[in-house]
Amino acid sequence: MTTVLLGQADELFAALAEPNRRLILERLGTHGGATATTLAGDLPVTRQAVTQHLAVLESVDLVSSAKSGRERRYTVHVEPLTAAASWMNQVATQWDTRLAAIKALAEAPLPSRPTPKEKP
């Protein structure tokens, strides 16, 4: 994860935590770009709500917009998602390594102890 994205990780994950925003990203990825009006037609929220969600996604650089006539077209930026996935993969690898070491210790045979001598 880049230094810039590390500073925005909380905002990025907070933006992705909202189900409608994830749906919006999915629709934009499928359509290759769309207007708020088009997206609102596919979602159970108003166009104004879609516009607000898009503003949040744009604030964390997950989407960008460009004026197209009287409307704005939104497109997905995959770079922040790719960087976040890479960071999560690195963390998972670190934990896998740690957990494998713990497992090896837990499953290692105990050192043999000398048996106590029997008394006559």
Side-chain angles (χ1 to χ4, degrees):
M1 193 175 248
T2 64
T3 306
V4 174
L5 191 54
L6 275 175
Q8 294 178 330
D10 290 343
E11 293 84 7
L12 176 76
F13 291 121
L16 291 172
E18 213 291 327
N20 285 316
R21 291 188 198 127
R22 291 193 305 272
L23 285 173
I24 289 169
L25 282 175
E26 185 179 318
R27 298 296 193 288
L28 285 173
T30 301
H31 297 308
T35 64
T37 304
T38 303
L39 291 167
D42 293 341
L43 299 169
V45 294
T46 65
R47 190 185 81 66
Q48 291 80 8
V50 168
T51 301
Q52 289 175 346
H53 288 307
L54 286 165
V56 172
L57 294 170
E58 196 166 20
S59 74
V60 294
D61 202 30
L62 287 172
V63 300
S64 63
S65 64
K67 193 141 175 105
S68 175
R70 294 185 314 159
E71 295 192 298
R72 297 189 86 56
R73 290 197 60 78
Y74 293 87
T75 55
V76 175
H77 286 179
V78 296
E79 295 84 9
L81 294 172
T82 303
S86 175
W87 174 76
M88 288 187 289
N89 193 33
Q90 288 174 350
V91 171
T93 300
Q94 291 170 356
W95 274 106
D96 287 344
T97 302
R98 290 176 184 154
L99 292 172
I102 292 169
K103 180 181 179 189
L105 284 173
E107 293 176 348
L110 293 174
S112 60
R113 294 183 176 184
T115 57
K117 292 183 182 178
E118 289 186 26
K119 294 185 180 180

